[in-house]
Amino acid sequence: MNIKEYFEQADRGDYQRENFDDFLKKVSFKYNVPSIHIAGSNGKGTTANYLANIYQVHGLKVGLYTSPYLNDVNEMISINGENISDNDIESALKENDKLFQKYGLSAFEIQTFIALNYFQKNNVDLAIIECGMGGEIDATNIFEPILSIITSISLEHTAFLGRSLCEIAYQKAGVIKDEIPVITGILEDEAINTIVEVAKERHSQVIVSVEPANVVYSDYGYTFAYLTYTDLRINSSATYSLKDACIALEAVNKLQDRYQISEQEIHEGLAKTYMPVRMEIMNEKPFIIIDGSHNPEGVYNMVKSLPYVVGNRELHVLFACFKDKNVERMLSYLGEYSKDITLTTFPHKRARTEEDYFLYLDDHHFSEDAIAALDELKENYPEDVILIVGSLAFAAYMKNTIK
């Protein structure tokens, strides 16, 4: 069985819960692993990884479910940093394939079911579960967590989640459960007001993270302080990862009665976290950065890292994104830092092609071949900085090429 092909065939692109709920009822699904549930437009995966590593350093057996994957679907499901095996996935698919087909489950619903069963079967002490794109009717929203987190809220997936921050916040707030506290990042007033309203109805405490203090960039990472914690370090050049680390620290503090984490364990857990294609330095000369930011909020936060990383050097951007993304705003944010943006495409059914960029071709050059475009940038600007950005899938494709 080809696992990747199986999930590609099940990638139906719909967003509803009726089929999945009927399936779960049919198989009498029950999930009782203590879990942290994370929703948000950006930062979910990084926050999840910081938490998983902190609790793993503490000695817990930690399950982690994140999406999407960069290369293999196995990356989505892991226990203590070890990805689920092909055999375990194949076994789950064979066992349930007829019912998956009967109920018309999407790839993400199948992956979610496999992940939660895998954690339960392996008796993990704690699971960190990342939402797919929403909250209220997301496939992951089928259990009561010990803590909910909403990292950020921006205008994304508007066809499914709503056309205003308020509507999208309401969807994300679906992860808030009765009397279960929720932690959020620093959000727009419209979004936080909606979350507070939902939390009030569900008698849930809301805790909002704050900005880190004493931030210093060195050796492709940041040292910082947060609340009573000092001299913390993350090994990432992405300033937005600081926000994610702060949200994780609020979660650790809130759960201290349950898991007594020491400051040393926090230091170790943060420092050992590696997130691919988050302002990842792929080459020193020429200096190549790959970042998976894929929506306006993500790009807006990403460019804040550029003064630290780029310094006084010239910046050249190689950009590709999906057809359903707000390309105008992303290019606008990038244009504030670079006068040289090359538009391109890559092998993916959702990738923008030259005709999809027609409104921007007067301002930016288009190259059909992303690899050739990168080679040209490397040859022409050996002393400058090249940034590859626009999509997680594009970042993964280019990273594999550079490697």
Side-chain angles (χ1 to χ4, degrees), residues 1-12 69 73 89-90 92-102 104-111 114:
M1 178 185 293
N2 185 309
I3 294 170
K4 198 165 189 176
E5 283 180 13
Y6 185 97
F7 286 119
E8 283 173 357
Q9 287 170 10
D11 190 8
R12 297 179 178 86
Y69 60 87
V73 70
I89 294 176
E90 287 169 2
L93 293 177
K94 283 175 184 170
E95 184 181 341
N96 299 284
D97 178 58
K98 286 182 181 175
L99 285 175
F100 291 159
Q101 300 294 335
K102 178 181 176 182
L105 299 194
S106 69
F108 187 67
E109 288 166 341
I110 296 168
Q111 290 153 359
I114 291 172

Side-chain angles (χ1 to χ4, degrees), residues 128-199:
I128 319 289
I129 310 293
E130 177 190 339
C131 274
M133 68 173 173
E136 179 68 30
I137 60 170
D138 192 81
T140 62
N141 198 27
I142 54 175
F143 62 91
E144 182 172 291
I146 58 172
L147 182 70
S148 300
I149 295 174
I150 300 172
T151 55
S152 70
I153 290 173
S154 65
L155 289 170
E156 47 126 33
H157 302 301
T158 52
F160 300 105
L161 304 181
R163 299 199 170 274
S164 69
L165 278 183
C166 182
E167 289 177 344
I168 292 172
Y170 187 80
Q171 284 291 326
K172 306 282 186 190
V175 300
I176 302 172
K177 301 296 188 295
D178 289 348
E179 299 182 5
I180 304 297
V182 57
I183 289 166
T184 80
I186 301 166
L187 308 177
E188 298 278 352
D189 288 347
E190 190 180 347
I192 193 66
N193 290 342
T194 300
I195 286 166
V196 167
E197 213 172 280
V198 173

Side-chain angles (χ1 to χ4, degrees), residues 36 88 127 165 188 212 256 275 362:
I36 298 171
D88 281 314
L165 278 183
E188 298 278 352
Q256 276 289 20
M275 293 299 295
D362 287 343

Side-chain angles (χ1 to χ4, degrees), residues 306-350:
L306 295 176
Y308 292 101
V309 184
V310 175
N312 295 321
R313 293 170 291 186
E314 288 291 320
L315 177 68
H316 308 271
V317 177
L318 185 60
F319 179 92
C321 73
F322 283 164
K323 295 178 183 181
D324 60 342
K325 298 297 181 178
N326 186 334
V327 65
E328 183 175 356
R329 285 185 62 200
M330 288 194 278
L331 291 176
S332 173
Y333 293 140
L334 290 166
E336 293 176 23
Y337 289 85
S338 175
K339 294 174 184 174
D340 181 23
I341 300 174
T342 300
L343 306 177
T344 189
T345 189
F346 61 105
H348 196 289
K349 63 184 180 182
R350 289 173 59 198

Side-chain angles (χ1 to χ4, degrees), residues 22-318:
D22 289 345
F23 165 79
L24 295 174
K25 189 175 179 182
K26 173 68 176 176
V27 298
S28 303
F29 178 76
K30 289 183 177 60
Y31 179 75
N32 50 29
V33 173
S35 299
I36 298 171
H37 200 189
I38 306 180
S41 301
N42 293 292
K44 301 187 295 291
T46 306
T47 302
N49 274 273
Y50 282 136
L51 284 169
N53 283 325
I54 289 168
Y55 286 116
Q56 194 179 322
V57 167
H58 181 65
L60 298 183
K61 187 176 185 180
V62 182
L64 178 64
Y65 179 51
T66 59
S67 61
Y69 60 87
L70 292 183
N71 297 304
D72 300 307
V73 70
N74 311 61
E75 299 164 25
M76 295 174 68
I77 306 167
S78 65
I79 296 176
N80 281 6
E82 186 173 332
N83 294 344
I84 187 172
S85 68
D86 283 351
N87 284 343
D88 281 314
I89 294 176
E90 287 169 2
S91 174
L93 293 177
K94 283 175 184 170
E95 184 181 341
N96 299 284
D97 178 58
K98 286 182 181 175
L99 285 175
F100 291 159
Q101 300 294 335
K102 178 181 176 182
Y103 288 91
L105 299 194
S106 69
F108 187 67
E109 288 166 341
I110 296 168
Q111 290 153 359
T112 299
F113 179 71
I114 291 172
L116 300 190
N117 269 302
Y118 184 66
F119 296 153
Q120 199 143 262
K121 180 179 162 187
N122 284 277
N123 298 312
V124 300
D125 300 309
L126 173 68
I128 319 289
I129 310 293
E130 177 190 339
C131 274
M133 68 173 173
E136 179 68 30
I137 60 170
D138 192 81
T140 62
N141 198 27
I142 54 175
F143 62 91
E144 182 172 291
I146 58 172
L147 182 70
S148 300
I149 295 174
I150 300 172
T151 55
S152 70
I153 290 173
S154 65
L155 289 170
E156 47 126 33
H157 302 301
T158 52
F160 300 105
L161 304 181
R163 299 199 170 274
S164 69
L165 278 183
C166 182
E167 289 177 344
I168 292 172
Y170 187 80
Q171 284 291 326
K172 306 282 186 190
V175 300
I176 302 172
K177 301 296 188 295
D178 289 348
E179 299 182 5
I180 304 297
V182 57
I183 289 166
T184 80
I186 301 166
L187 308 177
E188 298 278 352
D189 288 347
E190 190 180 347
I192 193 66
N193 290 342
T194 300
I195 286 166
V196 167
E197 213 172 280
V198 173
K200 193 174 179 182
E201 289 171 8
R202 297 172 190 174
H203 308 287
S204 302
Q205 179 190 14
V206 179
I207 302 158
V208 180
S209 65
V210 297
E211 295 283 357
N214 306 330
V215 176
V216 177
Y217 180 72
S218 64
D219 299 325
Y220 306 142
Y222 298 92
T223 55
F224 66 104
Y226 190 75
L227 303 179
T228 60
Y229 304 115
T230 58
D231 295 320
L232 299 165
R233 178 167 176 88
I234 59 168
N235 290 306
S236 167
S237 291
T239 52
Y240 56 77
S241 291
L242 284 166
K243 293 183 178 183
D244 304 330
C246 294
I247 294 168
L249 290 171
E250 288 287 0
V252 168
N253 278 355
K254 186 60 192 171
L255 294 176
Q256 276 289 20
D257 287 347
R258 188 174 189 128
Y259 308 110
Q260 294 176 3
I261 307 299
S262 70
E263 188 160 343
Q264 181 58 34
E265 289 166 341
I266 287 171
H267 278 266
E268 285 183 37
L270 291 179
K272 74 177 283 191
T273 301
Y274 157 72
M275 293 299 295
V277 301
R278 271 72 165 186
M279 287 297 290
E280 184 174 5
I281 314 299
M282 294 300 299
N283 197 64
E284 296 254 356
K285 195 168 181 181
F287 200 88
I288 301 175
I289 307 166
I290 296 188
D291 189 86
S293 296
H294 55 277
N295 56 31
E297 184 198 33
V299 172
Y300 175 79
N301 288 321
M302 181 275 298
V303 297
K304 292 178 182 177
S305 308
L306 295 176
Y308 292 101
V309 184
V310 175
N312 295 321
R313 293 170 291 186
E314 288 291 320
L315 177 68
H316 308 271
V317 177
L318 185 60

